[in-house]
Amino acid sequence: MKSKELILILDFGGQYNQLIARRVRECNVYSEVVPYNISIEKIKEKNPKGIIFTGGPASVYGEDSPKCSEEIFNLGIPVLGICYGMQLMAHTLGGKVTSANTREYGETNVNLDNTSPLFQGFDNTNIFLMSHTDYVEKVPDGFKKIADTPVCPIAGMENSERKLYGIQFHPEVNNSKNGIQVIKNFLYNVCKCSGDWVMSSFVEDSIKSLKEKIGDKKALCALSGGVDSSVAAVLLSKAIGKNLTCIFVDHGLLRKKEGDEVEEIFTKYYDLNFVRVNAKDRFLEKLAGVTDPEKKRKIIGEEFIRVFEEEAKKLGTIDFLVQGTIYPDVIESGLGKSAVIKSHHNVGGLPEHVDFKEIVEPLRSLFKDEVRKTGLELGIPEKLVYRQPFPGPGLAIRIIGDITEDKLNILKDADSIFREEIANANLHRNINQYFAVLTNLKSVGVMGDERTYDYTVALRAVETTDFMTGVWSKIPYEVLEKVSSRIVNEVKHVNRVVYDITSKPPATIEWE
Ligand code: XMP
């Protein structure tokens, strides 16, 4: 979609750069993260309504610290510098930045000049997260101080004439009280945005531009049943209907009933060609006797592509291949590192032997929460839109050791009971990922008067926002008890259930 309004976020290496971009979009203004050294010509070309400098770990006095040209402040475009961004603005325009002896860190009472348009609606003080060592000691000519703390003499500065603003604290994080209002004030009071970024117009505009781009040519999409590929497929189907073919490779390693659910949604509710390939036997054959997790991943990834290619070949030449790439996958870091690619998270990768002319990535500009909003906007069932992440290699990496059909069935049943009870206890919205694992440990048990020697199932549940770190979920004992007793009673060949109480790090979320 071509939003009329754009805010450019110049990335100076801060850990919150994506969060800032998301917050801006939450305020209904489209934003893009770009490397800090983007050229002035490029900025002019993009014609943003405003620019935000992110924080970063560097000091303006560091030899290799990321800098900006003074010209950027002369473009007449409003700039908000956050943390390092403020220090860089001060330093570049002739103010003075000093290094403190100690770091100021934590939620801090900041005194505000609430006559500044940036702090409109705030009291004289507000709690914001501070996290810095360097600070601005003297503002550049033409600027005035608009905030301070007991240890930071200038925690905010403005030059209202040139529309240049700096803040030492982080309004984008949740620890800052009503921090989003500072961002909103910048967007609406300073940049004079109108707020034209809403998901309904994204959907409308995307469908229109996909129609124009694809016309009556043919497109092909690999559906996994996950959120991204599903939303991409539905958008395409609204644009080109039956000229879209979705191939759903069911490798048999999905959760219980999942393959049928995907088929039902896409055949019942949407106008597209849906091809389901039931390839379980093929995958199990290739996986027979394989115990090494990385080998399992590789086999599944390769086989997936092969099956997809075979099906695609039957369709002849395809004009467009649809990919569910989303924004966090394409943002380039400001510090010259390569683009972030979650390689192992991409089951299929790109097929080499499918004859297509161009790739379409309709979700390329969206964050995950925006993909979900788009999904809801398109009428995709909530169950699918809020589906927890599920690894491409599926249950294969939740069966420790070699995979057999029997083990797969045991795991599917146990996992389905766990999910059912989590939903019954209404915990499914709080736990970000939860599943059962079939360990390859057998142990002695007793059932009635009989001795048993059967499998141990492990339950895993984590709370996380980024899946890079996470803590194990403190599921109430009564829920765990119910799950455990149901699994040993209802699933044959399981006589013991354990709960994984390790966080990440040091453990990972998946067991393999
Ligand atoms: P770990 O186990 O690395 O998992 O803590 C982090 C997140 O990534 C998912 N995951 C995968 N996703 N292919 C995927 O598509 C994989 O091979 C894979 N391995 C882990 C995992 O489910 C969790 O959400």
Side-chain angles (χ1 to χ4, degrees):
M1 123 148 193
K2 281 277 158 282
S3 167
K4 290 183 287 299
E5 296 175 341
L6 166 70
I7 294 291
L8 273 189
I9 318 257
L10 266 56
D11 175 11
F12 286 92
Q15 54 179 324
Y16 302 127
N17 57 21
Q18 289 198 25
L19 191 55
I20 298 172
R22 281 179 45 191
R23 292 285 182 252
V24 170
R25 292 189 187 188
E26 279 167 31
C27 299
N28 297 333
V29 179
Y30 182 65
S31 63
E32 278 179 12
V33 181
V34 293
Y36 72 92
N37 50 7
I38 180 173
S39 68
I40 296 289
E41 288 69 45
K42 193 91 195 164
I43 293 178
K44 283 187 188 157
E45 205 179 287
K46 285 185 173 276
N47 190 26
K49 295 280 285 184
I51 296 173
I52 297 178
F53 286 8
T54 73
S59 160
V60 291
Y61 295 116
E63 243 176 58
D64 301 325
S65 60
K67 299 273 169 33
C68 66
S69 111
E70 196 177 334
E71 234 182 299
I72 201 166
F73 302 111
N74 297 329
L75 295 171
I77 301 170
V79 181
L80 171 66
I82 296 178
C83 194
Y84 176 80
M86 163 176 175
Q87 296 159 14
L88 185 65
M89 180 187 286
H91 179 70
T92 311
L93 295 174
K96 184 159 189 258
V97 175
T98 303
S99 222
N101 291 330
T102 52
R103 184 162 171 247
E104 183 183 23
Y105 181 83
E107 289 139 35
T108 309
N109 246 320
V110 182
N111 301 314
L112 305 173
D113 171 356
N114 56 12
T115 61
S116 163
L118 205 57
F119 301 139
Q120 191 190 327
F122 281 92
D123 291 336
N124 290 331
T125 63
N126 191 69
I127 291 179
F128 289 110
L129 180 81
M130 298 286 270
S131 169
H132 67 115
T133 309
D134 287 6
Y135 62 91
V136 175
E137 189 186 311
K138 185 176 157 286
V139 299
D141 286 346
F143 279 75
K144 70 170 189 178
K145 173 177 104 170
I146 51 169
D148 61 35
T149 79
V151 293
C152 181
I154 301 169
M157 61 179 195
E158 79 172 10
N159 181 330
S160 54
E161 211 170 292
R162 295 175 70 188
K163 296 188 191 298
L164 303 179
Y165 290 80
I167 44 180
Q168 185 52 67
F169 50 84
H170 290 274
E172 68 277 16
V173 297
N174 283 334
N175 322 41
S176 288
K177 194 177 150 206
N178 204 15
I180 195 151
Q181 188 61 42
V182 176
I183 295 173
K184 218 177 251 173
N185 285 344
F186 177 66
L187 301 175
Y188 289 91
N189 294 347
V190 180
C191 304
K192 308 287 181 203
C193 291
S194 65
D196 65 356
W197 175 250
V198 283
M199 282 355 272
S200 55
S201 56
F202 170 81
V203 167
E204 229 170 80
D205 292 358
S206 299
I207 292 174
K208 193 164 153 251
S209 70
L210 285 168
K211 263 187 187 150
E212 278 164 18
K213 183 173 179 155
I214 303 180
D216 53 9
K217 297 198 177 117
K218 303 226 177 297
L220 176 65
C221 178
L223 252 190
S224 68
V227 185
D228 302 342
S229 65
S230 300
V231 174
V234 172
L235 254 186
L236 260 292
S237 99
K238 301 261 181 198
I240 62 165
K242 284 270 187 307
N243 277 333
L244 171 70
T245 300
C246 289
I247 297 179
F248 169 47
V249 177
D250 183 350
H251 51 25
L253 304 162
L254 297 171
R255 289 167 289 202
K256 195 174 180 179
K257 295 195 189 132
E258 204 163 36
D260 295 342
E261 282 169 12
V262 173
E263 179 170 351
E264 185 183 324
I265 290 172
F266 284 93
T267 48
K268 255 199 186 159
Y269 303 113
Y270 299 107
D271 180 33
L272 46 81
N273 291 309
F274 181 86
V275 180
R276 175 175 178 175
V277 192
N278 289 316
K280 181 176 78 189
D281 294 345
R282 232 174 121 156
F283 279 85
L284 288 186
E285 216 167 277
K286 288 268 175 201
L287 286 166
V290 178
T291 55
D292 176 61
E294 286 313 302
K295 249 197 200 144
K296 288 181 184 174
R297 281 192 170 82
K298 198 154 178 271
I299 290 172
I300 294 166
E302 281 173 11
E303 198 60 16
F304 188 94
I305 298 234
R306 208 148 299 149
V307 176
F308 181 75
E309 283 173 351
E310 282 174 23
E311 283 306 313
K313 257 195 201 134
K314 295 181 191 163
L315 303 169
T317 303
I318 293 291
D319 304 289
F320 294 90
L321 186 71
V322 184
Q323 293 267 299
T325 320
I326 68 171
Y327 195 48
D329 301 334
V330 300
I331 297 181
E332 261 183 72
S333 158
L335 300 179
K337 284 186 229 122
S338 57
V340 185
I341 297 170
K342 295 181 281 176
S343 58
H344 80 290
H345 292 182
N346 224 337
V347 214
L350 268 187
E352 286 166 30
H353 304 290
V354 174
D355 198 5
F356 64 92
K357 294 183 183 135
E358 210 180 312
I359 291 180
V360 258
E361 300 176 307
L363 312 178
R364 210 183 147 78
S365 63
L366 301 188
F367 285 108
K368 192 83 179 182
D369 46 340
E370 293 173 318
V371 174
R372 293 208 162 95
K373 279 188 203 155
T374 304
L376 293 177
E377 195 69 46
L378 287 163
I380 300 176
E382 275 200 24
K383 199 173 163 199
L384 203 163
V385 167
Y386 288 107
R387 172 168 286 177
Q388 53 171 315
F390 184 69
L395 300 182
I397 55 167
R398 294 179 180 170
I399 294 174
I400 312 303
D402 71 319
I403 299 160
T404 64
E405 185 146 15
D406 288 343
K407 287 184 184 174
L408 201 51
N409 289 333
I410 292 173
L411 179 57
K412 280 184 187 178
D413 288 341
D415 183 69
S416 149
I417 290 172
F418 187 29
R419 285 192 290 140
E420 217 173 282
E421 290 305 327
I422 291 291
N424 286 344
N426 209 15
L427 294 170
H428 54 294
R429 286 262 198 252
N430 309 337
I431 309 175
N432 305 94
Q433 202 171 0
Y434 51 97
F435 52 87
V437 173
L438 185 63
T439 73
N440 56 355
L441 175 78
K442 280 190 164 184
S443 68
V444 175
V446 56
M447 271 250 186
D449 295 331
E450 299 268 321
R451 174 190 186 273
T452 57
Y453 188 63
D454 274 325
Y455 285 111
T456 301
V457 160
L459 305 175
R460 181 72 165 141
V462 288
E463 287 166 32
T464 171
T465 44
D466 56 9
F467 297 89
M468 311 280 278
T469 60
V471 292
W472 61 278
S473 179
K474 314 297 178 287
I475 296 177
Y477 282 169
E478 312 81 73
V479 179
L480 289 173
E481 189 175 24
K482 180 102 191 269
V483 175
S484 158
S485 90
R486 275 195 64 194
I487 290 178
V488 286
N489 280 312
E490 295 174 34
V491 186
K492 262 199 182 150
H493 303 300
V494 178
N495 65 358
R496 200 176 286 271
V497 176
V498 296
Y499 187 43
D500 182 348
I501 52 167
T502 2
S503 288
K504 173 184 180 177
T508 52
I509 295 174
E510 302 290 346
W511 274 39
E512 282 200 334

